[in-house]
C-alpha cells in the first residue's frame, strides 16, 4: 500500500523526497514536511515514476514552470515525443504535461515516465474522448479505467475537470468567448447532451481512491477560465472556483495532494485579486496558472502578454506557471517557440520570486550584475538565463576572442561605454576598484539550486542527447 507524501507528512515523517527538495531549495526539511502536511505545497511523485528527480510546488518555494508537449493526429511518433521532452527539460521546464491526442499514447507516456526526471502531468479526459469517439460517448467506467491505467503507468499529476457543474453552464451565456478550456468544453457538451451532472464530479471519490493508491496529485482544472479580458473574473469563473475549493478539501480528507489551476486572460489590475481569491477559497492549495495574458491584442507575442501576467501572479503567490509560446492562438509551436516560451516564463517566475522576496532569489541578479560591471563576458554568459542566446548575440557583432576581454560592447562602442567611463573616473579618483572584488559567491548563497543557471536544473542523464529538431512541433501551449 502506497503512502502519499501528504499522509506521510501528516504523521510526521520526512520522506526521502521531502529531504531531497529541502536540499534543492535550501530549506529546512521540517519546513517542507509542514508545508506538505498543511496542503500548502505538493511533491508530485507517483510511486511508480522511478526516474523522477523530486521537486516541490508551493508559494513558499521557488516558482516553477510547466511546459506542454504531446502529439496530435498528424504529428509525433514516440521518438519525436522523447526529443520534445528533452527540449523542454533542457530549456528549464520544471514539469511537463503530455497533452497528446494522437497515436501510440500508451507507448509515448510510458517512455516519458521511464526517462523523465521531471514530474509528468496528463489530462486523462483527452484519452477518454479518443477512445469513446466523441465527448457524448464518454462513460464514468471509461474515465475510471483510463485514470487508473495512467496512475499505474506512473503519471505524477492529472488535470481533472471536475469543478464545472451543470448549474454553472448558464452563467457562460453572455461571455465573449464562451468556454475556452478544451476539457471544459468536453464536459459541458456531455452534460448538455445527457442532462446530468459532470461525470468527473460524480466519480470524484473513486478518483481520490485511485490517486491515493499511487500518490497521484490533483491538478484541478479551471474549465471556466476566461478566454479574454471581457470574461475575466465573471460569475462563471468564480462559481467554479468555489467548487474547486470544496474538491480540494475532499481530496485532502482522503490523503491526496492537490493543486488548483487558474486563468487564462486577466487584466493587470485583477491578477493579484485572482491569486488572493484562489488562496482564500482553496485554503492555500498551490495555484498553477496559465499566464494570465494581460491583453488580447498581440497574437504572435502572447509569450510576452502572458509572461507579464505570470510575473505578477508569481509575485502575488502563484506557485507554478504554465508557459505560453509565441504561437498561442495561432498554431503548433516549434523548437524555437518552446525555447522562447520557456525563457519568458523562467524570467516571469524569477522576477516574481525577486519581487516577493523569496530567500536568495536576487543573488543570481547581483552576481550577473557584478560580472557585467567587471566586463567579465564569459561569466555573464555562464550566468545568463539562456547562455547560448547571450553569447550568440554578443558574437553577432564582436565574434573574435579578444572581445571577450573588452571593456565595451558594440551597443555604445568603446568611446561611449558608460560603465568604462565610470570605472575610469573612479580609478582616477580612488586608484583602484576595490568594489569590483565583492565577488558574490552563488555556490554558498541561500539561492536555491532551482534559481541558478544554467538552464535545466534536473538530472538529465536519462534523456536522449541534445538533437535539433527544427522541423518538429509540439502541442499548443496551455490548451487543456
Ligand atoms: S558599451 Fe554600453 S551596453 Fe555595452 S557594456 Fe558598455 S555601457 Fe554596457
Amino acid at each position: 500500500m502506497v503512502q502519499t507524501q501528504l499522509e506521510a507528512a501528516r504523521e510526521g515523517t520526512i520522506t526521502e523526497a521531502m529531504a531531497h527538495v529541502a536540499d534543492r531549495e535550501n530549506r529546512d526539511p521540517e519546513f517542507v514536511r509542514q508545508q506538505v502536511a498543511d496542503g500548502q505545497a505538493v511533491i508530485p511523485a507517483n510511486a511508480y515514476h522511478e526516474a523522477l528527480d523530486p521537486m516541490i510546488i508551493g508559494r513558499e518555494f521557488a516558482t516553477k514552470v510547466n511546459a506542454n508537449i504531446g502529439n496530435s493526429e498528424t504529428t509525433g511518433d514516440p521518438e519525436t515525443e522523447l526529443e520534445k521532452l528533452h527540449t523542454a527539460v533542457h530549456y528549464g521546464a520544471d514539469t511537463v504535461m503530455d497533452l497528446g491526442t494522437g497515436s501510440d499514447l500508451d507507448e509515448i507516456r510510458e517512455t516519458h515516465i521511464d526517462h523523465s526526471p521531471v514530474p509528468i502531468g496528463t489530462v486523462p479526459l483527452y484519452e477518454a474522448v479518443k477512445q469513446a469517439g466523441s465527448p457524448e460517448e464518454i462513460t464514468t467506467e471509461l474515465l475510471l479505467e483510463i485514470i487508473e491505467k495512467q496512475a499505474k503507468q506512473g503519471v505524477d499529476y492529472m488535470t481533472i475537470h471536475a469543478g464545472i457543474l451543470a448549474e454553472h453552464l448558464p452563467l457562460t451565456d453572455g461571455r465573449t468567448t464562451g468556454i475556452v478550456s478544451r476539457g471544459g468544453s468536453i464536459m459541458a457538451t456531455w452534460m448538455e447532451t445527457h442532462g446530468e451532472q459532470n461525470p468527473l464530479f460524480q466519480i470524484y471519490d473513486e478518483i481520490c481512491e485511485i490517486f491515493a493508491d499511487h500518490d497521484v496529485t490533483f491538478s484541478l482544472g479551471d474549465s471556466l477560465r476566461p478566454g479574454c479580458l471581457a470574461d475575466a473574473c465573471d460569475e462563471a469563473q468564480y462559481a467554479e472556483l468555489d467548487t474547486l475549493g470544496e474538491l480540494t478539501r475532499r481530496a485532502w480528507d482522503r490523503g491526496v495532494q492537490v493543486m488548483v489551476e487558474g486563468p487564462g486572460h486577466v487584466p493587470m489590475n485583477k491578477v493579484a485579486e485572482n491569486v488572493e481569491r484562489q488562496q482564500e477559497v482553496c485554503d492555500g492549495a498551490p495555484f498553477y496558472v496559465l499566464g494570465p495574458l494581460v491583453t488580447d491584442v498581440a497574437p504572435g507575442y502572447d509569450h510576452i502578454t502572458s509572461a507579464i501576467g505570470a510575473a505578477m501572479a508569481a509575485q502575488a503567490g502563484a506557485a507554478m506557471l504554465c508557459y505560453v509560446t509565441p504561437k498561442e492562438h495561432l498554431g503548433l509551436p516549434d523548437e524555437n517557440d518552446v525555447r522562447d516560451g520557456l525563457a519568458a516564463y523562467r524570467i516571469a517566475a524569477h522576477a516574481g520570486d525577486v519581487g516577493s522576496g523569496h530567500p536568495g532569489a536576487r543573488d543570481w541578479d547581483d552576481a550577473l550584475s557584478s560580472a557585467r560591471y567587471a566586463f567579465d563576458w564569459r561569466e555573464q554568459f555562464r550566468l545568463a538565463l539562456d547562455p547560448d542566446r547571450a553569447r550568440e548575440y554578443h558574437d553577432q557583432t564582436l565574434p573574435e576572442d579578444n572581445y571577450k576581454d573588452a571593456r565595451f560592447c558594440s551597443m555604445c562602442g568603446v568611446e561611449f561605454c558608460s560603465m568604462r567611463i565610470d570605472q575610469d573616473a573612479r580609478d582616477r579618483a580612488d586608484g583602484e576598484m576595490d568594489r569590483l572584488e565583492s565577488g558574490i559567491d552563488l555556490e554558498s548563497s541561500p539561492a536555491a539550486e532551482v534559481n541558478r543557471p544554467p538552464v535545466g536544473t534536473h538530472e538529465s542523464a536519462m534523456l536522449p542527447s541534445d538533437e535539433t529538431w527544427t522541423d518538429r512541433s509540439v502541442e499548443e501551449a496551455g490548451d487543456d
Side-chain angles (χ1 to χ4, degrees), residues 299-326:
Y301 296 94
D302 277 333
H303 60 316
I304 297 173
T305 63
S306 63
I308 292 168
M312 296 176 77
Q315 184 182 18
M320 185 156 79
L321 313 172
C322 183
Y323 90 155
V324 171
T325 78

Side-chain angles (χ1 to χ4, degrees), residues 375 377 408-409 411-413 417-419:
F375 292 106
W377 294 100
F408 66 96
C409 74
M411 181 168 174
C412 320
C417 176
S418 56
M419 290 201 300

